[in-house]
């Protein structure tokens, strides 16, 4: 395999692959401060819930390094300020908050600035390492459900670029394809085209044949009987199994139900938010209208606006299986999600 890493930790900085310019260019930008990494998260230079969490963990480690050297008597106060900046970067992906909470709990054990830096570095590295192991386990458990599948459809990018490596939804597809040939379809995923720019690029680098479709072609593809499963990642999974993912996932799940296609959510347990009982409580990120509108409308005289939510919520009743590294919850609407925890 020729997986590409979205993040590269040097021990003194974090290099982030700019996913906004893929696949035309492969450019890493190096950061040494938490506010700069928060800006990179906000600008979608790094994206995907697990990768956002990992980036935030390393940002906290760098914050500890910076402030423990510059103001050893008040370093924790400065780090807390940086963590608040990171918390504001993106509101929907719960992995961001999960990672920050883990880093805060770890820092509570530090007795000196030097031990704080050592602890922060070790915990951030463990978060990345554990995510990669989780992805590989998710791939195995998810692939077990695709034994008889002839074709799968995925949406957005839940691959190595969105995680520590291997991927969640793409981890399932990678593992399943290694076991037996499988037709793979990817939706383009407007307006950022993560499917067209990232997913098909990732899979092609693995020499996994993949077919790109327009988002609006999904219903007709299902009508042809070309896919047996919709396999996607997640940015937040509620206690009842309702799942937030890239905008368009909900409509695909409705189409899947209408055509007898099964729906699989593949995500690490760090994406599960048991504090939220149902999907109505998830804060859905709204982004700038001009990420959607053509440049020709960038004048005050144009009476054109855009509604640009970047996530939606798929109700648990539309989901056949939630797969995490700890297990599989079948029919979560009926059976709950404890099996995947």
């Amino acid at each position: 395999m020729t997986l590409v890493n979205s993040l590269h930790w040097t021990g003194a900085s974090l290099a982030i692959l700019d996913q906004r310019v893929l696949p035309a260019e492969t450019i890493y930008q190096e950061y040494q401060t938490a506010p700069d990494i928060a800006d990179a998260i906000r600008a979608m230079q790094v994206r995907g819930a697990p990768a956002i969490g990992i980036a935030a963990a390393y940002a906290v480690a760098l914050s500890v390094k910076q402030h423990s050297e510059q103001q050893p008597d008040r370093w924790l106060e400065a780090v807390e300020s940086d963590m608040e900046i990171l918390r504001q970067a993106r509101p929907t992906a719960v992995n961001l908050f999960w990672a920050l909470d883990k880093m805060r709990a770890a820092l509570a054990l530090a007795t000196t600035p030097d031990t704080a830096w050592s602890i922060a570095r070790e915990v951030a590295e463990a978060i990345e390492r554990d995510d990669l192991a989780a992805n590989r386990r998710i791939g195995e458990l998810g692939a077990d459900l695709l034994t008889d599948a002839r074709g799968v459809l995925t949406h957005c990018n839940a691959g190595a670029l969105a995680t520590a490596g291997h991927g969640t939804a793409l981890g399932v597809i990678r593992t399943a394809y290694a076991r037996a040939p499988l037709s793979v379809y990817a939706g383009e995923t407007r307006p950022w085209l993560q499917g067209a720019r990232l997913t098909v690029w990732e899979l092609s680098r693995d020499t996994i044949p993949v077919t790109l479709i327009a988002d609006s072609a999904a219903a007709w593809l299902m009508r042809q009987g070309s896919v047996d499963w919709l396999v996607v990642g997640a940015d937040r999974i509620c206690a009842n199994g309702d799942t937030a993912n890239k905008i368009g996932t909900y409509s695909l799940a409705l189409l899947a139900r209408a055509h007898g296609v099964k729906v699989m959510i593949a995500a690490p347990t760090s994406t599960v938010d048991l504090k939220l009982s149902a999907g109505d409580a998830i804060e859905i990120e709204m982004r700038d209208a001009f990420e959607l509108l053509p440049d020709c409308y960038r004048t005050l005289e144009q009476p054109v606006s855009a509604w640009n939510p970047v996530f939606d919520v798929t109700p648990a009743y539309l989901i056949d299986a939630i797969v995490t590294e700890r297990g599989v919850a079948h029919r979560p609407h009926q059976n709950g999600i404890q099996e995947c925890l």
Side-chain angles (χ1 to χ4, degrees), residues 122-134:
E122 290 173 3
V123 173
E125 290 169 352
I127 287 173
E128 181 176 24
R129 186 170 58 250
D130 291 348
D131 184 68
L132 179 57

Side-chain angles (χ1 to χ4, degrees), residues 10-329:
T10 69
S13 65
L14 182 66
I16 296 178
L17 176 63
D18 191 343
Q19 297 189 33
R20 300 168 299 181
V21 298
L22 287 173
E25 298 179 87
T26 304
I27 299 173
Y28 284 87
Q29 297 185 27
E30 195 167 344
Y31 297 100
Q32 295 179 320
T33 71
D36 285 344
I37 293 174
D39 287 343
I41 292 171
R42 188 177 300 108
M44 291 182 67
Q45 181 180 335
V46 57
R47 29 82 35 212
I52 288 172
I54 296 164
Y58 281 127
V60 174
L62 290 171
S63 177
V64 171
K65 183 177 187 296
Q66 175 190 1
H67 296 302
S68 63
E69 292 173 352
Q70 295 178 354
Q71 41 188 329
D73 295 332
R74 299 183 59 189
W75 66 271
L76 185 56
E77 180 181 339
V79 171
E80 285 285 353
S81 178
D82 279 349
M83 284 197 282
E84 183 57 32
I85 292 171
L86 288 160
R87 290 184 73 87
Q88 300 300 319
R90 297 195 70 184
T92 303
V94 73
N95 305 65
L96 170 63
F97 311 105
W98 171 86
L100 292 174
D101 289 344
K102 281 188 74 72
M103 296 300 289
R104 178 178 287 109
L107 290 177
L109 303 175
T111 56
T112 68
D114 286 342
T115 59
W117 162 234
S118 177
I119 289 171
R121 185 176 65 248
E122 290 173 3
V123 173
E125 290 169 352
I127 287 173
E128 181 176 24
R129 186 170 58 250
D130 291 348
D131 184 68
L132 179 57
N135 291 341
R136 296 195 182 281
R137 181 59 177 159
I138 290 167
E140 295 289 338
L141 293 173
D144 289 344
L145 302 181
L146 301 183
T147 302
D148 298 323
R150 297 162 298 162
V152 298
L153 171 65
T154 192
H155 184 63
C156 194
N157 173 266
L161 290 167
T163 64
H166 196 60
T168 52
L170 290 197
V172 171
I173 291 170
R174 283 185 166 101
T175 304
Y177 186 83
R179 296 179 183 180
L182 185 69
S183 296
V184 181
Y185 297 88
E188 58 188 342
T189 318
R190 291 187 174 276
W192 277 76
L193 298 175
Q194 292 98 326
R197 293 188 304 104
L198 307 180
T199 293
V200 298
W201 180 69
E202 265 201 50
L203 292 175
S204 66
R205 285 169 59 91
D206 274 0
T207 65
I208 296 176
V210 56
T211 301
L212 181 69
I213 66 166
D215 289 343
S216 53
W220 193 239
L221 179 74
M222 294 180 187
R223 179 67 180 269
Q224 308 307 303
S226 300
V227 296
D228 305 292
W229 282 87
L230 169 68
V231 182
V232 296
D235 288 81
R236 192 181 295 241
I237 300 171
C238 295
N240 71 339
D242 291 352
T243 297
N245 193 49
K246 183 56 58 183
I247 189 73
T249 304
Y250 175 37
S251 58
L252 287 173
L254 288 168
L255 291 173
R257 175 58 60 95
H259 292 90
V261 172
K262 294 182 178 180
V263 176
M264 181 193 303
I265 305 296
T269 50
S270 57
T271 305
V272 178
D273 186 358
L274 294 176
K275 295 189 296 295
L276 296 187
S277 60
D280 289 345
I282 298 174
E283 180 180 354
I284 298 299
E285 179 182 358
M286 302 292 295
R287 292 185 67 88
D288 194 294
F290 288 105
E291 292 183 353
L292 188 61
L293 289 170
D295 287 343
C296 62
Y297 293 109
R298 286 183 176 274
T299 65
L300 295 177
E301 293 78 18
Q302 296 287 355
V304 180
S305 62
W307 185 60
N308 190 23
V310 292
F311 300 98
D312 56 26
V313 178
T314 299
Y317 78 87
L318 293 175
I319 298 168
D320 292 278
I322 297 175
V323 181
T324 74
E325 75 277 15
R326 297 183 186 172
V328 180

